[in-house]
Amino acid sequence: MAISLHNSTTISRLGFASQFSGSKSASSLPNLSFKSVEASRQQSSRINAMLKSESSSSDQVQVDISLSPRVNSVKPSKTVAITDHATALAQAGVPVIRLAAGEPDFDTPTIIADAGINAIREGYTRYTPNAGTSELRTAICHKLKEENGISYTPDQIVVSNGAKQSILQAVLAVCSPGDEVIIPAPYWVSYPEMARLADATPVILPTLISDNFLLDPELLESKITEKSRLLILCSPSNPTGSVYPKKLLEKIAEIVAKHPRLLVLSDEIYEHIIYAPATHTSFASLPGMWERTLIVNGFSKAFAMTGWRLGYIAGPKHFVAACNKIQSQSTSGASSIAQKAGVAALGLGYAGGEAVSTMVKAFRERRDFLVKSFGELEGVKISEPQGAFYLFIDFSSYYGVEAEGFGKIENSESLCRYFLDNAQVALVPGDAFGDDSCIRISYAASLTTLQAAFERIKKALTSLRPAVAV
């Protein structure tokens, strides 16, 4: 059944809030924004409500439904909320273009998929060792040596159910209550929340679009304290697509080397999605950094294996063993089938061979189109991404504008809601990544889809004029 624009707008405003707050029913909630939901969350750090339920004997029993302060300190993921909401709209018949999720639109390469299918047919469906199969960990060691110039042994590798799990386990393994986790912004949405889950304090270091969103070493040095335990670096970056040049990483390494307590978590999940002349440097390959670096990588992005849920961590045995211990008491080992597929992925050749290079070529074409197109719009600032498949665009010159039939555009969240309501394009507000001036666009979609999305966004902006000079 067709849904009118008026009805889809109503769904958008209700669903946008309900997805963020975790509700499954948009129609049962008031018209809440991300901002109002977050304000409500902050006002109540611990739920003390009591739920009354009737037992079979009609006696009333009071149940304490309070939650852990640790859970109450964590914010839900806006990228997940928006992606889920956009999917619901599409399933309801609303022609939403979904550019929120960081998920390649390509199918898993056939050789990899066949390896998984064969694993099932051959009965390879039982538990594997907690840290991962010897076959896969050996293949990972070979990859790290050949592609990154770093030597590891299989007992210095732990395979997990996705790189996300690897990161969380690393943070939990090395951080104590009161420790500080240094995170350059814009950052992947989960980094600060993972720090909070470990009872650590996220210390956010802002970067500038004029500096391509790269961390200033002097700022880093000024913020390190005796509580600093972990520095998280992501290159190529989600959400900016920035790539750290080797010389800048060397400057950061020199600073890190002065502080014995400070470790580095290097998130390298996008290393193969990189555009020449940019090149990837693994932080652990720098002088003196192997001993204090935890490398996290995986198969989701480069090999289009998001649903296979397969990632890994590599590092000094002492730290990796701690991650292995945590995993043994939570999920245990990763899928046996996915691990067989992972071995096949690493067997495609250097940097994923032709299968990955074909995808990267398409990503680059999409990036070039979006950079050129948005660069021609009034009041837009862009730092051209050198890797990954995201464009982090500064739309802040449009803040303060009154949009007819919508209201005032105050920030990245309201601008994203405006695009969803008026252009039916789902994007992620920059405040989720620690920079409210920008909006993240994922170009992990076909060029045709991106062209249609750009035209919708451009049309939605025609009635708006920058509120400030740019």
Side-chain angles (χ1 to χ4, degrees):
M1 182 175 67
I3 297 178
S4 69
L5 180 60
H6 173 75
N7 287 338
S8 67
T9 300
T10 302
I11 292 172
S12 298
R13 293 189 178 185
L14 291 175
F16 213 52
S18 66
Q19 289 291 335
F20 181 52
S21 61
S23 171
K24 297 296 184 182
S25 174
S27 60
S28 64
L29 290 178
N31 185 6
L32 300 176
S33 67
F34 279 143
K35 186 176 181 180
S36 63
V37 172
E38 174 60 12
S40 175
R41 186 195 67 81
Q42 291 176 343
Q43 289 171 2
S44 177
S45 62
R46 184 170 179 85
I47 301 174
N48 292 314
M50 302 296 289
L51 178 66
K52 292 183 178 180
S53 61
E54 289 191 11
S55 66
S56 58
S57 61
S58 299
D59 294 330
Q60 288 188 334
V61 179
Q62 290 185 326
V63 179
D64 183 352
I65 62 167
S66 59
L67 300 177
S68 161
R70 180 183 288 108
V71 173
N72 284 329
S73 72
V74 175
K75 303 173 186 176
S77 169
K78 284 190 179 181
T79 54
V80 172
I82 295 170
T83 300
D84 288 351
H85 172 53
T87 300
L89 287 176
Q91 292 174 346
V94 181
V96 174
I97 296 178
R98 292 167 281 178
L99 303 180
E103 181 170 35
D105 58 313
F106 299 99
D107 290 333
T108 302
T110 302
I111 293 176
I112 300 174
D114 285 345
I117 293 170
N118 290 336
I120 297 172
R121 288 174 173 166
E122 294 169 5
Y124 197 76
T125 56
R126 299 185 182 278
Y127 292 135
T128 70
N130 185 71
T133 64
S134 176
E135 180 185 29
L136 179 55
R137 285 182 288 149
T138 299
I140 291 170
C141 290
H142 176 75
K143 175 260 184 248
L144 290 168
K145 180 64 176 178
E146 181 183 27
E147 297 180 359
N148 305 103
I150 323 169
S151 296
Y152 292 96
T153 54
D155 61 353
Q156 294 168 330
I157 308 291
V158 170
V159 177
S160 301
N161 299 278
K164 193 169 191 174
Q165 180 182 355
S166 294
I167 296 171
L168 176 60
Q169 290 177 169
V171 174
L172 291 173
V174 304
C175 290
S176 301
D179 279 347
E180 294 177 346
V181 178
I182 301 173
I183 306 170
Y187 47 71
W188 180 49
V189 295
S190 295
Y191 294 149
E193 309 315 314
M194 290 177 174
R196 293 186 178 100
L197 281 172
D199 288 329
T201 302
V203 176
I204 308 302
L205 304 188
T207 62
L208 302 174
I209 191 171
S210 57
D211 293 332
N212 295 320
F213 297 112
L214 297 173
L215 177 62
D216 180 355
E218 292 184 2
L219 176 61
L220 170 63
E221 191 160 28
S222 70
K223 296 298 182 180
I224 296 176
T225 72
E226 68 278 0
K227 295 182 179 180
S228 301
R229 180 56 172 159
L230 191 64
L231 166 64
I232 299 181
L233 295 175
C234 181
S235 178
S237 165
N238 174 9
T240 67
S242 299
V243 174
Y244 276 81
K246 185 175 182 179
K247 288 185 178 180
L248 179 54
L249 289 177
E250 288 173 342
K251 291 180 181 179
I252 293 173
E254 290 174 2
I255 295 170
V256 171
K258 299 176 185 178
H259 303 274
R261 261 200 101 230
L262 186 59
L263 305 176
V264 176
L265 190 152
S266 184
D267 184 348
E268 303 180 10
I269 189 71
Y270 294 96
E271 70 163 318
H272 292 324
I273 305 176
I274 198 165
Y275 314 118
T279 57
H280 173 71
T281 299
S282 184
F283 197 81
S285 68
L286 301 176
M289 291 299 106
W290 187 95
E291 294 80 7
R292 60 169 76 206
T293 301
L294 299 168
I295 293 178
V296 171
N297 209 323
F299 299 81
S300 293
K301 311 301 183 180
F303 298 104
M305 293 176 64
T306 51
W308 295 80
R309 306 312 303 130
L310 194 64
Y312 61 87
I313 189 167
K317 186 176 180 181
H318 173 71
F319 297 124
V320 170
C323 295
N324 192 37
K325 185 194 300 184
I326 294 172
Q327 183 162 299
S328 73
Q329 296 292 7
S330 54
T331 65
S332 296
S335 161
S336 59
I337 300 158
Q339 289 186 67
K340 278 290 188 182
V343 172
L346 294 179
L348 290 176
Y350 189 92
E354 184 179 354
V356 173
S357 65
T358 299
M359 288 188 273
V360 173
K361 182 179 179 180
F363 286 136
R364 180 166 193 154
E365 182 182 16
R366 299 167 187 181
R367 178 205 66 169
D368 292 346
F369 165 75
L370 290 177
V371 169
K372 181 178 184 298
S373 299
F374 279 105
E376 295 172 352
L377 296 182
E378 183 180 4
V380 172
K381 296 178 183 178
I382 299 175
S383 170
E384 182 173 286
Q386 300 301 304
F389 38 68
Y390 307 107
L391 191 59
F392 206 57
I393 304 180
D394 186 335
F395 282 105
S396 60
S397 63
Y398 287 90
Y399 297 172
V401 174
E402 193 77 25
E404 183 178 354
F406 177 83
K408 191 174 183 179
I409 295 175
E410 299 177 337
N411 48 35
S412 62
E413 182 268 318
S414 58
L415 183 56
C416 280
R417 184 158 49 83
Y418 172 76
F419 285 142
L420 187 60
D421 286 357
N422 291 273
Q424 295 182 325
V425 177
L427 309 172
V428 187
D431 68 334
F433 307 99
D435 188 341
D436 194 38
S437 63
C438 297
I439 287 175
R440 192 191 79 171
I441 297 176
S442 169
Y443 50 90
S446 71
L447 185 58
T448 301
T449 298
L450 294 173
Q451 290 169 338
F454 172 75
E455 290 302 322
R456 291 188 187 188
I457 293 171
K458 180 179 179 181
K459 184 177 180 180
L461 289 174
T462 54
S463 61
L464 304 177
R465 291 293 179 268
V468 296
V470 294

